[in-house]
Amino acid sequence: MAEALISVLLEQLASIIHQEVQQQVKLVVDVKKEVAKLTHNFRAIEAVLKDAEERQVKEASVKLWLDDLKDVSNEMEDVLDDWNTEILRLQIEKQEKEAGNALDTTKKKVCLCIPTAFFKSGQVSRVIFRRDIAQKIKDLNERLATIANMRQNFNFQYTKSGTELIERQKTTSFVDQTFGRVDEKELLVGKLLSESNPEGQNPIVIPIVGMGGIGKTTLSQLAYNDEKVKASFTNRIWVCVSDPFDELNIAKAIVGALGVDVNSISNDLEAFFQCVHKSIEGKKFLLVLDDVWNQDYRKWEKLKLPLQNGAVGSKIIVTTRKEEVARMMGAPDNTINLKLLSDENCWSLFARIAFTNRNQDECKSLEPIGKEIVKKCKGLPLVAKTLGGLMCYKKTKKEWQDVLSSKIWELDIVEQQVFKPLLLSYYDLTPMIKRCLLYCVTFPKDRIIDKEVLIELWMSQGLLSLVVNKEKTMIDIGESYFDNLVIRSFFQNFKEDKFGNIKQCQMHDIVHDFLQYLAKNECLIVEFKGGEERIELPPDNKLGHLTIMFAPEGPFPLSLDHCQRLRTITTFDCKITSLSRELILQLKCVRTLNLSRNHIEEVPDEVGVLVHLRYLDLSSNYRLKKLPDSLCNLVNLQTLRVDWCSWLGKLPEAMGKLTSLQHLHAQGIRLKLPKSIARLKSLRTLDVVIEGEGEGSGDEEGLRLSDLRDMDELQGELTIFLVGKLKDSAASDAEKAKLVNKKHLLHLTLWFYCESESTIEEAVLNVLQPNSNLESLQIRGYGGSTLCPNWTSSLINLKSLIFIECNVCKYVPLSVLGYLGSLETLRFEEIYSVKKVGFEYSLDHQVILFPNLKQLEFSEMPVWEEWDHHDENDATSSSPTCFMPRLSTLSILGCSKLKTLPDFLRRKTPLLQNLIIFDCDILSRSCKDRQGPEWSKISHIPNIEIEEEPVQKDGVWIEQED
C-alpha cells in the first residue's frame, strides 16, 4: 500500500509548484526547498518498497518501519489536500466574481464551512493558512528523513521505479466454470430429490464439510440451480451465515427471501421466528445455510424449530469447514465430506484461465512448468483459479519459473496455506491495484458488491490516479482495475446486466480473510450484538477505515475521539437516527462517509467542515427531508447518493459550487434540482429525472432540459421527463440540451407525460437526437403519429429499444427499425392504437433486417390485427430479404385481435428457441391445435408456451388435457 500512496504523493508534490504558477498564489519562503527534500526522500524510499512490502510478512521490524512510513504519508496526503482545497476555493471565488456576484456574498457562501483558517477574513488569513501548511510540511519532512535513513538498516534490495500500464482485459464467464465435482453433484442432487426419510426428520439436514477454498459453496450452487431441484421445491432460499451465527439475521434473510417485508416486523427474534413458521407452513422448501461456524447446539435448535413447519421433503444444505458442526446438527448419514480436486481437474481449471489468449506452441512450452505450479494447489479449486489468474499475465518462460521458485512457498508463518498463492497473486499486482483490493475489506463477508459503487469508493480514496494515462477518466481506470482483479479470481459470483457486463460480485470468504490479515491494523469491522447500544474503540489506534454493522436504532453508537486518521466510515444493516455536532467535528480526515439505509432524519450543518469528503451516501434514509446549505461547501465532493430518500424534495440552491462533483445519484424520487447544477460541466452521472419544457411541469427556476447544454461528460443513464402542456417553443428549448454531443451517454429514457398536440411532441422527439454511441433507448407515453424519430437510423450501436404507451401511432414501421444492425432486444408495450405491424415500402434489393435481434416482444396491443411482412420468396424480387436470423425468443401477450403470424418465422428463424403466446384468444386457438393454420409456421420452435401452458418442450409435443 505504501508504494502506491507514495506515487500519488510525488504527483501531488510536483503539482504544488505547478499550481503556484497557474493560480498565481505564492508559497511561503523555503517551502519549495522542503518540497524538494520531501520528493528526494520519497523517491529514495520508493526504490526499496517492493522488497520491504514482501519482507514485512515475516519480519516484524520491517512492518513497523512501513507502518511509520504510512503514518507520515497519510498525514502528508492530508496536508497536500488542504493546499489543493485552498486552490479550489480560489477558483470558485473567481468564478463567482465572473458571474457578477458581489465580493462579500461570495465570501459568505464559499468560506462558511472551510477549515478554521478560512473563517478569518482577507489576505492575512490566507498567508497564515499557507504558513501552517509550510510548518506541517517541514515537520513531516523531518520525520520522513529519519525514516529514509533507517532504511539503510534493513539492506533492502533496490527496484527501479516506473509506471505500469494496465491492459484492459475482456472479462469472460470462465471465472465461474467448474471442473470435476460431477459425482459430488449427482450425490447431492440425489439426496435433495430423495423421498427417503427413515428417521422421520423434517427438514432433512445435508452438511457439506471441507476446508476453506475446496468448493463447498460452488457445489451447493450447482445443486441449487439444477433444473430438477428447482422443479422439486416450492421455495428455494440462500443465506450467507458466516461468523457469528446470528439467529435474528438468519431469520430476517429467510423471511425476506420468501417475499415478506422485513421492515413490517418488530425487531424481535420471536416475531421473526413466528413469521418463518407461518411463511413456510405446508411448503416444501430448500434452504442453504452457507459458511456455518457455530457449534452451539442451543442456537441451532432455536432456528430449527420454526423450520419444522414446512412440508415433508424439505431440505437444508449446510456448508461448513468444521466436522463438529455437522455432528452437532445430527446428520452423520447425510454428510458429504468434500475431497480435494484431483491433479487432473486442478490442471484443467488452472489451464483454462492461465492459457487464455495464448497460441498452441506457447501452451505446449509452458505446460511442464504449469503442471509443477499446479501441484502447489494441493487440490484446492480456489488456489487453482488464483494461480491461473496470476499466470495469465506472465508472458515468458522465465516469469513462470520465477513463480514456481518463489520464496513465498517456503513461508511457515502465514496463517493459512491458501494464503501463500493469494500472496503471490497479490504481490504481482501494481501498487494502486493492491490498495484497491485491500479497500474491499471494508465490505463485510459475503456482501454483494456493486461495481459502480466500488469504483466510486476507490475514486474517493484517491486510488485511481491519472498519472499513467491522463487521457482516461478515473472511471475508465477503475474499470481496468476491477477487470484485473476479476481475471485473477479475487472476485466471484457475478451478476450481469442485460448487455452481459458485470454489475455485481462477491469475494470468497477466504479472500476476505486474507485481506483482513494484510490490513488488520488499518481496517476494522465493528458488529453490535444482543442489545449493545455503544462500543468503545481502543485508544491510540491507527484505524483508517471503520465499518459498523447492526447498530441499533438511536444516535451514532461510537465515540471517535481516538480515531484521528479515519478516512472511511461505512454502515451496514444499521438503524442510526442522528449524528451529533461533536461527531461530525471528529471526522476531519474522512473522505468516504456511507450512511445509507439508516433512519437519519437530519444532517447537521457542521457537515460542511468535512473538506476532505469525496463520497457521501445517504440513500434509503426515508426520513430525511432536507440537506443543509453547508453541504455546498464540500468543494472536494465527487459523489453524492440520495437514492430512495422518499421525503427529500430538493437539493440546496448553491450546488453549483461543488465543482468536483462527478456523480449525482437520486433514483426512485422526484427531486427538484437547482439551476446552478448547470455549471457542473464535469458531471458524469446524473441519475435523476430531468424535467422538460412543459407548462405546469414544476419550478421554472429549477434545472431544465435546456440546461444540459454544456454537460457533455454525462455518461451511463439519463431520464428525461416531459410533463404538462408543451409550449410552442418546446422543440427549440429541447434542442438546446444538445444530447447528440453527449458521446458517453449509453442509456436514455424519454417520458412524454404531457397534454400537447401530436405535431409538437413529434418536433420535440426529433430534436432530442442522442449520440450514435447510445446502447439502449426507451420512449414512453409519446403522442406523435409517427412512432420512430427521424434520427432512428443513426443509432448504429443501439442494443435495446423499448416503446411503451405510445398511443397515437397506428403503424409499427419494421423496415426503419430493421436496419439497426446492433439491436438485440425490441419491445412494444401498451400501444393501444396500433393496428398493423409491417413495412411501409417495398424492398427491391438484398438486405438482412434485424441481423442481430434476439428478443422480440409485443405486449398489450389490443387492436393490433395484422403482422405484414415482405415475402422473401416473391417471384418479382431477384434478391430475397432475410428477417431476424438470430431471433431466439418471441413473446406475444395481450394481443386479442391478432389472427396470424408472418411466414418468415417458418423459413428464416433457425435459432428461434422460445415462443410465448398469452391472452391472445384468436392466435392461441389456431396455434394450440397441431392441425391449425398457424402450426406449420411455429412447429420448428423447440419450446412453445400458450396461455401459460407448455405445448412443446425441447421439440417434443405435450399432449393437452381436455
Side-chain angles (χ1 to χ4, degrees), residues 705-706 709 729-739 764 767-768:
L705 177 56
S706 56
R709 63 176 68 87
S729 62
S732 62
D733 290 334
E735 189 173 16
K736 294 175 184 175
K738 297 187 182 302
L739 295 187
V764 169
V767 299
L768 289 176

Side-chain angles (χ1 to χ4, degrees), residues 367-437:
E367 184 172 327
I369 303 175
K371 289 195 170 180
E372 290 300 313
I373 292 174
V374 164
K375 292 179 182 178
K376 307 285 188 181
C377 296
K378 307 294 185 185
L380 294 176
L382 175 64
V383 177
K385 288 167 66 176
T386 301
L387 288 174
L390 169 66
M391 301 316 295
C392 76
Y393 284 91
K394 301 298 182 185
K395 295 183 170 34
T396 67
K397 200 169 184 177
K398 182 182 182 304
E399 288 176 316
W400 279 56
Q401 187 64 51
D402 287 345
V403 170
L404 179 61
S405 307
S406 173
K407 293 181 180 179
I408 289 176
W409 299 117
E410 302 170 8
L411 292 178
D412 56 4
I413 51 87
V414 178
E415 294 184 358
Q416 298 189 39
Q417 285 295 310
V418 74
F419 282 8
K420 293 180 181 180
L422 288 173
L423 267 176
L424 265 174
S425 194
Y426 171 77
Y427 285 145
D428 193 60
L429 299 172
T430 63
M432 278 298 185
I433 300 182
K434 284 179 188 172
R435 290 187 75 195
C436 288
L437 177 61

Side-chain angles (χ1 to χ4, degrees), residues 861-931:
M861 296 170 58
V863 302
W864 178 26
E865 298 176 350
E866 182 181 0
W867 186 347
D868 188 22
H869 71 287
H870 178 71
D871 188 351
E872 64 269 31
N873 288 334
D874 189 340
T876 63
S877 175
S878 58
S879 301
T881 300
C882 182
F883 296 88
M884 307 180 189
R886 296 181 181 274
L887 188 67
S888 62
T889 299
L890 172 62
S891 302
I892 306 174
L893 318 170
C895 303
S896 56
K897 291 191 176 183
L898 183 64
K899 301 180 181 66
T900 64
L901 294 170
D903 289 335
F904 77 81
L905 290 179
R906 170 174 42 201
R907 300 189 186 104
K908 297 294 183 179
T909 55
L911 301 181
L912 186 56
Q913 297 293 306
N914 305 291
L915 172 64
I916 301 169
I917 300 175
F918 176 73
D919 198 18
C920 304
D921 295 343
I922 301 173
L923 193 61
S924 294
R925 282 196 299 270
S926 60
C927 287
K928 261 193 172 183
D929 183 358
R930 281 191 289 180
Q931 305 304 316

Side-chain angles (χ1 to χ4, degrees), residues 39-73:
T39 302
H40 173 77
N41 285 328
F42 273 132
R43 291 208 180 280
I45 292 170
E46 186 182 34
V48 302
L49 276 180
K50 188 175 188 300
D51 187 39
E53 296 220 352
E54 293 184 10
R55 285 172 54 180
Q56 67 171 324
V57 177
K58 56 183 178 181
E59 296 181 43
S61 58
V62 174
K63 184 170 185 354
L64 288 173
W65 180 81
L66 276 175
D67 287 344
D68 288 341
L69 175 61
K70 289 174 190 174
D71 289 343
V72 172
S73 300

Side-chain angles (χ1 to χ4, degrees), residues 524-567:
L524 177 67
I525 297 179
V526 175
E527 296 186 19
F528 283 78
K529 306 172 187 175
E532 286 179 309
E533 294 185 358
R534 198 164 183 83
I535 293 177
E536 294 298 326
L537 296 177
D540 302 323
N541 64 70
K542 294 184 178 181
L543 284 179
H545 310 286
L546 176 64
T547 299
I548 304 169
M549 298 181 66
F550 313 126
E553 189 156 3
F556 191 86
L558 291 169
S559 171
L560 303 178
D561 290 332
H562 305 301
C563 303
Q564 301 302 313
R565 313 307 305 176
L566 269 182
R567 302 294 183 91

Side-chain angles (χ1 to χ4, degrees), residues 136-187:
K136 288 177 182 178
I137 289 176
K138 185 175 181 180
D139 294 343
L140 289 169
N141 211 357
E142 290 175 359
R143 290 168 57 190
L144 185 65
T146 302
I147 293 170
N149 290 332
M150 286 179 63
R151 80 185 189 283
Q152 308 292 346
N153 301 335
F154 298 103
N155 296 317
F156 289 127
Q157 291 184 7
Y158 284 77
T159 305
K160 186 177 180 181
S161 63
T163 57
E164 181 177 342
L165 290 171
I166 301 301
E167 181 181 351
R168 180 79 183 269
Q169 294 285 327
K170 183 68 175 177
T171 57
T172 58
S173 60
F174 73 74
V175 291
D176 282 332
Q177 187 168 351
T178 58
F179 291 87
R181 304 305 186 208
V182 175
D183 294 340
E184 291 91 336
K185 181 193 171 183
E186 287 183 2
L187 175 62

